[in-house]
Amino acid sequence: MHHRYDVLVVGAGGAGLMAALYAAKGNVSVACISKLYPTRSHTGAAQGGIGAALGNVQEDHWEWHMFDTVKGGDYLTDQDAAEVFAKDIIDAVYELEHMGLPFSRTPEGKIAQRKFGGHTRDFGKAAVERSCYAKDRTGHMILQTLYQQNVKAGTTFFNEFHVTDLLIEDGRCRGLVAYHLATGELHTFHAKAVILAAGGYGRIFKITSNALTLTGDLMSIYYRKGLPLEDMEFYQFHPTGLAKLGILVTEGIRGEGGILRNDSGERFMERYAPTIKDLAPRDIVSRSIITEIREGRGVGRDKDAVNIDLTHLPREVIEGKLAEITDLARTYLGMDPVKDLVPIQPTAHYAMGGIPTNLDGLCLSDGSGGTVEGLYAAGEQACVSLHGANRLGTNSLGDLVVFGRRAGIAAAKYARQAEYPEMTEGAERESQDLFERLRSGSGKENAALIRKELQESMMNNVGIFRNGKDMAAQVEVLKELKARYQNVTVSDPSRRYNSELIEAMELGFMLDCAEAMTASALNRTESRGAHDREDYTERDDTNWLKHTMAYKNLNNDNDVIIGYKPVALKGFTRAFEPKPRVY
Amino acid sequence: MTQTHAQASSAPVSASVPMLQLKVKVLRFDPEKDKKAHWSTYDVEAQPGDRVLDVINHIKWYLEPSLTFRRSCMHGICGSDAMLINGRNRLACKTLVRDVAKNGGTITVEPIRGLKVEKDLLVDMDPFFDSYKAIMPYFINESPAPAAERIQSEEHAERMAHSSNCILCACCTTSCPIFWVNGSYLGPAAIVQAHRFIFDSRDEATHQRLAIMNQNTGVWRCRTAYNCTEACPRDIPITQLIEEVKRAVMYAQS
């Protein structure tokens, strides 16, 4: 089946829904394609809040938020992106409120705000209350609100359509191909502009907060075209995932006063970040927890977790402002945060890197100014490089509304003046070939087993602490897994709702993302933000104050070509000189 | 059909945790080859703290790849994996094995009721979302917006705490006997969404929403069976919210 829209949005999480809303306001025809039903996107799992310098509780300024973002990103953050972000997010939060989002309130009836990791006043002097929140289900409320507004706007949705290919020819995006789960048919979508907003790929790791659907599909498709993925080595581990399960426990838990403790009850963050302690940024807290565990001070049966302690907080705070995580602890661990210490461990959480874009979401084709005409990206999947080497808590929800909105506006503006490009001939061929291969393999290999080995090996070799030896070993593991993947066969021949076929396809995308990440990480011989190397322990601004651009070598399937892109070290009106990062 | 057993855990195995031997009975249906649904039984081994979804994933990944169901977040926030587990509507990712089976026991899994089964545990969700869309599920305030936020008291914000907690999983609506008998009834989930906006002090379309609730597909079909409240995986007091909407409709008429 064939469809034609001025603007197509892939993904119906926060970034995709915001982009679709704004594209629709731009007087163009818009459709949104999602592999799930829209209200099931993973934005709904974000808990703690969305940071904006509203100053509702304490004095705050966008410059402080910009500084925290740049410093939090270990100076790899593009400062022009950080400046646009810190200003725009204030207006975007008010806009969400005007859309009806049920924020928690201050006694004066304003949007309530609380503390979060790495959010400070006066350029690092002390913690500040900047995170706007709706209890501890802020992402859930953003997702619902934006979907509601799209229902109001009459946006066309294609639900449970899995994108299998992007049509890019001669540097121009012409549309895409998608597989309709309900019928097993391939559909072609012809468009003037396409916005990619399909989220992250945390499922390449064994312990992760990410949904089963976060398999990096569109990043991989972009990469398979010979286009670059930026800063893939920077992958965030959230310090507090529920032990063993990896389910997210919001940083808001520490924002409200929760304390991390080791096996002897010591508040160990006092040793690692004396100024802001438990409210240090995520990379620092994650490393501190792993260090405690490695040095034998972990808790639990396997001594591989530490505790989060809320028992000193009033029951109303725990059951009111932190109701979601209270329910999670009770459901999955049988523990009650009101009286029990809850065991947590770092969990793979967020990709700082992804498809490179400029400030309007336009996709970059290289590190020196090349772009892909008509193709935009936003949200976790994109890398406008707001987060640099480490993302601050709450800046993911901020990123998706600010840059989802900018991408929607830019794509609509482009589509209004552009003609439809000529449609790619035989557009479905590559997708048909892919499915044909998956259905006719030798049958020697099981996709689930390969996926399990991928997740375990990435966790062990390219996790929180990294070194050249383990990562070189992982390069070999990935070559072997990719070779074995060629022998996977889908046994279910049915056309309707063939989820075995989809999962096998997703595994191929995950292997690509893992390959780009491992090559980028092995190449960067320094420690910065979330990329921490035991064999190169210092940050090296002389050689490495630059973005990595990883390209697939289209002539040799196992080879990754590394290029670079300069960091924007100045904003439009402010600039923060790189400094040692201490908290 | 009985398959060989293997271990379902997604979590790392600790030697000291006793494994449970279970039979999992799944109601299967593939319209491409089946005239009617039939049971398949799988032998699996699981830890007591595993989710039922871990067990079903295990069956799909290692025993029966054609088994079809929806799932995504794995922790009760996306609402994809509503199913009938041991006869009750639940989310498979929020139901632990130890809460529904003992060693040597059986877990039965079926699709939620009242929506057309497309394949195995996967049902057609479109009628459910059509009911959602019918209640004007979006904030309406056409007055000029202030430069900053609209002020709302903590008390008024709290009025939406229960209804805005809904994840649209359909556990409530598909547990409702009125919905089974009469598919035109909007159902509990849609009424909860209406409540979300009717009781939002900032919203200006209360009158229109109450009119929708007053139609013969609306709130008066509810017979207060409480199934919805028992089925809700997020502990929303749905029957109470429906009663509040009924009262609001009555007051609006008087």
Side-chain angles (χ1 to χ4, degrees):
Chain A
M1 213 178 302
H2 185 77
H3 312 267
R4 182 186 260 217
Y5 290 90
D6 292 332
V7 177
L8 283 174
V9 180
V10 182
L17 293 173
M18 196 74 173
L21 260 187
Y22 269 85
K25 285 187 190 187
N27 287 320
V28 292
S29 64
V30 182
C32 184
I33 299 170
S34 171
K35 69 197 245 184
L36 300 167
Y37 276 90
T39 55
R40 292 166 177 188
S41 301
H42 206 54
T43 298
Q47 295 166 353
I50 178 166
L54 307 185
N56 280 359
V57 181
Q58 287 176 322
E59 183 186 355
D60 202 359
H61 301 281
W62 70 261
E63 290 94 335
W64 296 354
H65 191 185
M66 176 184 170
F67 170 79
D68 288 339
T69 300
V70 171
K71 180 182 175 185
D74 221 347
Y75 298 91
L76 199 73
T77 293
D78 281 344
Q79 297 199 21
D80 51 358
E83 180 166 335
V84 162
F85 171 77
K87 288 175 177 167
D88 273 16
I89 186 60
I90 295 171
D91 171 52
V93 165
Y94 289 138
E95 185 182 17
L96 289 171
E97 200 278 339
H98 296 158
M99 291 176 183
L101 197 143
F103 280 108
S104 296
R105 300 282 168 163
T106 66
E108 302 80 46
K110 295 178 175 177
I111 296 169
Q113 296 186 275
R114 66 180 161 205
K115 291 175 184 167
F116 243 72
H119 293 200
T120 71
R121 65 172 167 79
D122 287 319
F123 309 106
K125 292 238 170 66
V128 74
E129 298 183 56
R130 184 180 294 144
S131 172
C132 311
Y133 60 95
K135 298 186 179 279
D136 58 348
R137 47 178 198 248
T138 315
H140 165 79
M141 290 326 317
I142 288 178
L143 183 68
Q144 299 281 334
T145 301
L146 290 175
Y147 180 59
Q148 291 156 4
Q149 292 298 309
N150 273 282
V151 170
K152 189 179 183 186
T155 305
T156 302
F157 283 94
F158 290 88
N159 300 327
E160 298 188 328
F161 275 71
H162 292 242
V163 174
T164 55
D165 202 7
L166 279 173
L167 304 172
I168 301 171
E169 266 185 279
D170 305 323
R172 169 84 167 93
C173 182
R174 290 143 203 272
L176 54 84
V177 181
Y179 174 87
H180 186 201
L181 190 60
T183 61
E185 284 171 0
L186 286 170
H187 290 232
T188 54
F189 291 80
H190 188 189
K192 293 179 180 175
V194 174
I195 303 172
L196 307 177
Y201 59 97
R203 277 286 150 184
I204 67 170
F205 289 105
K206 181 180 177 184
I207 303 283
T208 177
S209 64
N210 281 204
L212 287 164
T213 44
L214 290 172
T215 49
D217 308 1
L218 272 299
M219 282 168 155
S220 161
I221 291 170
Y222 194 75
Y223 177 67
R224 285 177 187 181
K225 305 279 168 199
L227 294 162
L229 296 176
E230 179 176 351
D231 288 345
M232 292 293 278
E233 64 271 41
F234 297 104
Y235 195 91
Q236 177 165 79
F237 281 76
H238 194 294
T240 58
L242 281 189
K244 309 282 190 201
L245 294 156
I247 295 170
L248 180 66
V249 173
T250 174
E251 195 165 302
I253 202 171
R254 285 171 285 137
E256 294 290 352
I259 294 169
L260 292 164
R261 298 191 187 280
N262 61 19
D263 66 334
S264 61
E266 181 203 8
R267 183 180 195 180
F268 59 85
M269 281 312 299
E270 287 180 337
R271 280 187 275 118
Y272 299 95
T275 313
I276 54 177
K277 305 184 180 78
D278 301 89
L279 287 170
R282 291 177 177 176
D283 56 335
I284 294 172
V285 180
S286 289
R287 278 195 295 277
S288 305
I289 291 170
I290 296 295
T291 303
E292 290 297 301
I293 291 168
R294 283 183 170 190
E295 292 176 0
R297 295 187 291 277
V299 305
R301 194 184 297 116
D302 301 322
K303 303 277 175 210
D304 60 354
V306 298
N307 283 321
I308 182 89
D309 179 3
L310 294 184
T311 56
H312 53 290
L313 298 178
R315 176 183 282 271
E316 313 84 77
V317 171
I318 298 173
E319 293 186 339
K321 290 176 170 180
L322 301 168
E324 189 76 25
I325 64 103
T326 302
D327 180 43
L328 294 174
R330 287 173 181 164
T331 301
Y332 295 106
L333 300 180
M335 289 176 149
D336 184 355
V338 174
K339 53 183 173 42
D340 299 324
L341 304 183
V342 178
I344 55 89
Q345 65 186 162
T347 182
H349 184 58
Y350 187 90
M352 269 78 74
I355 297 173
T357 74
N358 70 13
L359 295 178
D360 287 323
L362 186 63
C363 294
L364 306 181
S365 58
D366 56 44
S368 53
T371 57
V372 182
E373 189 182 352
L375 188 62
Y376 300 79
E380 184 176 351
Q381 169 158 98
C383 181
V384 64
S385 201
L386 173 66
H387 311 305
N390 169 64
R391 175 175 69 75
L392 287 191
T394 77
N395 274 3
S396 65
L397 291 176
D399 179 355
L400 57 83
V401 292
V402 166
F403 291 101
R405 183 164 75 170
R406 290 178 75 93
I409 292 169
K413 187 177 170 199
Y414 171 78
R416 276 198 306 276
Q417 53 80 34
E419 299 292 324
Y420 274 97
E422 202 175 310
M423 188 57 167
T424 304
E425 239 180 273
E428 297 168 24
R429 200 174 303 131
E430 284 197 29
S431 302
Q432 276 163 344
D433 289 350
L434 173 72
F435 287 147
E436 182 54 32
R437 193 185 66 57
L438 289 171
R439 285 185 149 133
S440 63
S442 73
K444 283 190 298 206
E445 297 288 350
N446 173 320
L449 278 175
I450 295 176
R451 187 171 57 225
K452 192 165 172 235
E453 288 182 38
L454 168 70
Q455 291 164 335
E456 283 174 2
S457 60
M458 286 301 290
M459 200 81 197
N460 291 334
N461 294 332
V462 201
I464 292 177
F465 286 107
R466 300 168 172 183
N467 64 66
K469 186 166 151 278
D470 290 346
M471 290 191 288
Q474 185 62 14
V475 170
E476 298 305 314
V477 169
L478 291 172
K479 278 183 197 168
E480 188 212 315
L481 294 180
K482 279 165 60 189
R484 286 171 54 193
Y485 179 66
Q486 296 302 314
N487 293 322
V488 165
T489 302
V490 173
S491 61
D492 181 4
S494 65
R495 289 171 58 78
R496 294 161 50 85
Y497 292 103
N498 192 332
S499 51
E500 186 192 3
L501 180 66
I502 291 299
E503 287 195 10
M505 180 177 71
E506 288 173 334
L507 173 60
F509 296 147
M510 292 160 80
L511 286 164
D512 277 341
C513 292
E515 173 186 274
M517 178 192 284
T518 305
S520 301
L522 183 57
N523 182 64
R524 182 177 286 269
T525 50
E526 66 156 352
S527 287
R528 182 187 297 272
H531 177 64
D532 196 277
R533 287 193 63 155
E534 294 162 315
D535 45 356
Y536 296 93
T537 54
E538 298 301 311
R539 191 176 88 191
D540 175 3
D541 285 350
T542 313
N543 295 303
W544 290 106
L545 196 53
K546 57 188 179 186
H547 298 295
T548 305
M549 306 292 265
Y551 303 77
K552 197 175 200 48
N553 184 344
L554 299 183
N555 301 314
N556 174 356
D557 187 47
N558 284 318
D559 187 26
V560 182
I561 301 164
I562 301 288
Y564 300 99
K565 190 177 80 144
V567 177
L569 291 169
K570 286 193 177 95
F572 296 96
T573 64
R574 295 298 307 250
F576 299 102
E577 195 80 11
K579 277 193 209 148
R581 185 164 161 254
V582 285
Y583 286 93
Chain B
M1 179 171 49
T2 294
Q3 302 275 357
T4 50
H5 62 78
Q7 180 232 325
S9 297
S10 64
V13 187
S14 293
S16 50
V17 178
M19 299 299 284
L20 306 180
Q21 309 297 322
L22 302 170
K23 286 193 187 302
V24 180
K25 264 180 80 180
V26 183
L27 193 61
R28 310 245 5 230
F29 174 64
D30 179 352
E32 285 179 23
K33 54 183 194 215
D34 299 328
K35 284 218 169 69
K36 55 179 204 163
H38 58 94
W39 294 97
S40 290
T41 304
Y42 307 91
D43 288 335
V44 295
E45 202 171 52
Q47 289 186 40
D50 281 342
R51 296 162 279 209
V52 171
L53 183 59
D54 292 319
V55 175
I56 299 170
N57 272 334
H58 176 82
I59 293 170
K60 176 171 184 62
W61 292 340
Y62 302 109
L63 305 177
E64 183 51 74
S66 67
L67 179 63
T68 297
F69 49 94
R70 290 192 179 95
R71 80 291 176 279
S72 183
C73 76
M74 302 277 284
H75 70 281
I77 189 70
C78 80
S80 299
D81 62 347
M83 48 188 83
L84 217 56
I85 298 170
N86 287 3
R88 273 184 55 192
N89 274 14
R90 314 180 209 231
L91 297 181
C93 66
K94 259 196 109 172
T95 307
L96 302 190
V97 165
R98 65 165 167 254
D99 295 328
V100 289
K102 295 196 175 88
N103 190 28
T106 301
I107 301 176
T108 64
V109 184
E110 306 161 67
I112 46 177
R113 291 183 178 144
L115 296 168
K116 186 181 158 225
V117 177
E118 297 284 356
K119 189 173 176 182
D120 296 337
L121 304 170
L122 187 148
V123 300
D124 178 9
M125 292 296 291
D126 284 347
F128 175 80
F129 281 104
D130 288 346
S131 293
Y132 168 77
K133 288 172 192 156
I135 61 96
M136 303 166 69
Y138 36 80
F139 183 77
I140 296 174
N141 184 325
E142 305 300 342
S143 321
E149 66 269 63
R150 290 191 166 94
I151 299 295
Q152 182 177 52
S153 70
E154 288 181 277
E155 193 190 354
H156 278 137
E158 199 58 27
R159 199 73 185 85
M160 294 175 280
H162 287 307
S163 54
S164 67
N165 200 8
C166 172
I167 56 173
L168 297 168
C169 66
C171 277
C172 59
T173 295
T174 61
S175 74
C176 171
I178 313 297
F179 178 77
W180 296 335
V181 176
N182 186 334
S184 70
Y185 173 42
L186 290 170
I191 298 171
V192 166
Q193 292 298 322
H195 185 287
R196 147 78 185 84
F197 294 102
I198 289 167
F199 293 95
D200 187 335
S201 57
R202 304 164 297 168
D203 187 89
E204 291 178 341
T206 308
H207 184 72
Q208 288 133 277
R209 295 184 214 284
L210 291 178
I212 295 168
M213 288 293 107
N214 197 27
Q215 289 169 358
N216 65 2
T217 53
V219 77
W220 302 115
R221 293 234 173 244
C222 169
R223 290 289 179 274
T224 323
Y226 283 97
N227 286 21
C228 52
T229 301
E230 283 172 25
C232 180
R234 291 176 70 78
D235 296 328
I236 302 171
I238 300 176
T239 310
Q240 179 194 322
L241 301 191
I242 294 174
E243 289 302 308
E244 288 174 6
V245 173
K246 284 179 180 171
R247 250 175 278 146
V249 174
M250 274 197 307
Y251 289 135
Q253 286 175 317
S254 60

